[in-house]
Amino acid sequence: MNRHLGGEAYMGLGGGIVSAESAKNLAIAEDLCRRRRPEEAVPYLMKAMEDPNNLDVDIQIAFLAPTTREGLQMLEKTEERGRVLLKRVLSPTCFDDDGEYAERFWSLLETRPYMRVLQAIVRLAVECKEYNKAADTMIEMLRLCPGDNLGQRYWLGPVLCQAGRYAQALSFAQAWLNLGNAHYPPRGGCKFDPPSQAPLTEPFIQKNKGKGPGGMLYTAALASFKLWGDCEIARQYLKLAASANPHVLLKVLGKVDAPKSLNNLPRQYNGPEEAHDYLWLAQDLWMVPDVWEWADSDIEVKSYVLKKCSRVGCNNREVRVAEFKRCGGCKEAIYCGQTCQREDWKEHKPRCKELQQRKDLMKSMMNPGRPLTMDPTDGPILATADFNHLPAGMASHFRS
């Protein structure tokens, strides 16, 4: 969610409800934090705080707090202040379901700082393992903006599972997976109708096999298994999830350590970066013995994660999950050994360089002003209020 692009770039933070001076000081402070110089950012943050309408400065300060919990507590107070601000700027009924602003918060520039506060609360609540708070905050975000311009649907399913709310997790996933011709489900999928245990239809399977939203399918598979055990619909969801994004089960069945942080690299749909972030949220749930054994017991599921050597002419296929090694450059080609990798280098080199250059270009676009070539481990540090690495859409309608 980059507020330096789109409507706020032209009309100011919150459509102009924040003074230009305060916004300028915040921008300087955030740049210093991105360059890992938070001590120098403090004076600019203090100046930015002189405008009480600048909610984004509280987000930045929260991520600089001594502890994550202190940052979360601070943002909870900011959220209360934000509600008062919006009721004054928009309408006393702006949060009501039947009000004129219902379900269109993100299309109003004035609401965006408040929505960013909620998004930051989600992030810190997850860090604190306060999963119910994180889930309830996302549910509120989807009530206000059911089209989910902030990408919270990618987090809510796994977080509901972490909170033990498996029926809600499955209901939510099914709402998004069964959209039909709608752009989004009612209340962003948070009506929480009773989940269906009926086996998946053949048209649904064909529509999602190899191309459905992996995170949603994994949520549906896990939640179905936790609710009803090794049933037909649970296995159907698991097979679809493995076919759509095998990178998740590759790590789970290979018993690779769970990610310690989110992935800040450019991502592709159902790619390893999406798998990384899903596993950051939920890998521990898949490592529970009965869940792991269930996933490992399905021959078709394992067929999606047992890889074949990338060198043309080599027919070797893995016997164990994660047995072969990936190319260290592009992370996509897989080889059974160094001999095949060396023999294939002349053929693979152009493609490898192309993939690396594409990722470098996307990094540069995500971080304007940075040099094109970056270390693969580089990325926005936690002490910044920019959530550019999270999925986010741009609203097409603004308040006149």
Side-chain angles (χ1 to χ4, degrees):
M1 177 175 54
N2 193 339
R3 65 176 182 274
H4 305 296
L5 302 172
E8 286 183 290
Y10 298 99
M11 300 180 67
L13 287 183
I17 62 175
V18 176
S19 69
E21 182 67 18
S22 179
K24 176 183 176 182
N25 282 308
L26 174 60
I28 295 171
E30 289 179 331
D31 182 63
L32 289 167
C33 287
R34 277 191 293 269
R35 288 188 279 158
R36 294 167 171 79
R37 292 157 58 185
E39 300 85 359
E40 298 177 40
V42 172
Y44 294 99
L45 292 171
M46 298 300 291
K47 291 179 182 178
M49 288 181 67
E50 293 175 3
D51 185 345
N53 291 348
N54 193 339
L55 304 181
D56 286 286
V57 69
D58 287 24
I59 299 175
Q60 182 63 76
I61 293 173
F63 278 90
L64 291 173
T67 68
T68 305
R69 192 164 299 280
E70 288 178 74
L72 177 59
Q73 292 170 348
M74 176 182 175
L75 287 179
E76 289 171 342
K77 295 178 180 178
T78 304
E79 186 274 333
E80 294 174 2
R81 195 172 91 243
R83 290 180 74 89
V84 173
L85 172 64
L86 289 180
K87 287 181 179 181
R88 173 170 55 82
V89 171
L90 297 177
S91 162
T93 61
C94 64
F95 286 91
D96 295 354
D97 280 337
D98 57 355
E100 62 178 308
Y101 302 108
E103 299 193 349
R104 50 187 289 253
F105 255 49
W106 188 249
S107 67
L108 309 175
L109 294 182
E110 294 90 340
T111 68
R112 294 192 178 189
Y114 175 78
M115 297 296 282
R116 287 192 287 267
V117 170
L118 295 184
Q119 188 179 43
I121 287 174
V122 170
R123 172 65 185 270
L124 294 185
V126 169
E127 295 274 5
C128 292
K129 299 188 184 304
E130 292 192 19
Y131 296 116
N132 279 307
K133 174 175 285 296
D136 290 340
T137 302
M138 285 187 276
I139 291 168
E140 172 66 359
M141 292 175 73
L142 288 164
R143 181 183 76 86
L144 297 172
C145 180
D148 191 30
N149 296 75
L150 285 83
Q152 296 305 127
R153 66 185 179 276
Y154 303 107
W155 282 43
L156 181 52
V159 171
L160 285 169
C161 289
Q162 285 286 10
R165 295 157 64 172
Y166 289 106
Q168 287 187 337
L170 180 55
S171 174
F172 175 77
Q174 289 179 338
W176 279 96
L177 290 168
N178 296 294
L179 276 178
N181 295 322
H183 294 295
Y184 52 83
R187 296 181 76 94
C190 297
K191 282 186 65 179
F192 298 129
D193 294 326
S196 171
Q197 193 179 356
L200 303 178
T201 65
E202 188 60 28
F204 180 93
I205 292 172
Q206 293 306 314
K207 177 182 176 181
N208 288 278
K209 188 172 185 178
K211 51 185 178 291
M216 286 288 182
L217 292 166
Y218 278 109
T219 291
L222 177 62
S224 298
F225 178 75
K226 297 297 285 188
L227 289 170
W228 304 308
D230 184 15
C231 59
E232 182 178 0
I233 191 172
R235 283 200 174 270
Q236 287 177 316
Y237 277 132
L238 182 63
K239 291 173 183 178
L240 290 175
S243 72
N245 193 336
H247 303 287
V248 171
L249 278 184
L250 186 67
K251 303 292 186 181
V252 169
L253 299 184
K255 296 187 176 180
V256 176
D257 290 341
K260 298 294 191 291
S261 61
L262 288 169
N263 189 306
N264 293 318
L265 294 174
R267 60 203 54 234
Q268 64 189 58
Y269 178 67
N270 281 336
E273 296 82 15
E274 284 192 3
H276 177 109
D277 287 353
Y278 173 84
L279 291 169
W280 181 76
L281 289 165
Q283 182 167 341
D284 59 324
L285 299 175
W286 287 90
M287 303 311 293
V288 176
D290 65 330
V291 179
W292 189 93
E293 290 166 7
W294 170 66
D296 188 57
S297 67
D298 193 290
I299 295 175
E300 181 181 338
V301 166
K302 292 186 72 171
S303 72
Y304 293 113
V305 297
L306 295 176
K307 302 298 182 181
K308 182 179 179 297
C309 181
S310 295
R311 184 179 70 82
V312 176
C314 180
N315 295 316
N316 286 341
R317 182 178 289 275
E318 290 177 321
V319 176
R320 302 181 308 277
V321 175
E323 179 182 4
F324 293 172
K325 304 300 180 185
R326 293 180 181 273
C327 169
C330 66
K331 305 293 191 298
E332 292 199 5
I334 298 172
Y335 296 101
C336 61
Q338 292 184 357
T339 300
C340 274
Q341 185 173 16
R342 282 196 298 267
E343 292 181 4
D344 193 50
W345 177 238
K346 184 177 179 180
E347 183 71 24
H348 175 58
K349 182 177 179 180
R351 174 64 175 165
C352 184
K353 297 297 183 184
E354 177 189 345
L355 290 170
Q356 291 183 65
Q357 289 171 359
R358 187 182 303 170
K359 289 185 177 181
D360 283 344
L361 177 60
M362 292 180 68
K363 289 179 195 174
S364 180
M365 293 172 66
M366 291 169 64
N367 299 276
R370 286 196 173 194
L372 186 60
T373 301
M374 297 168 58
D375 184 278
T377 61
D378 195 16
I381 61 173
L382 188 60
T384 174
D386 279 339
F387 290 83
N388 299 337
H389 60 282
L390 297 179
M394 296 300 295
S396 58
H397 300 287
F398 298 105
R399 184 168 179 250
S400 58

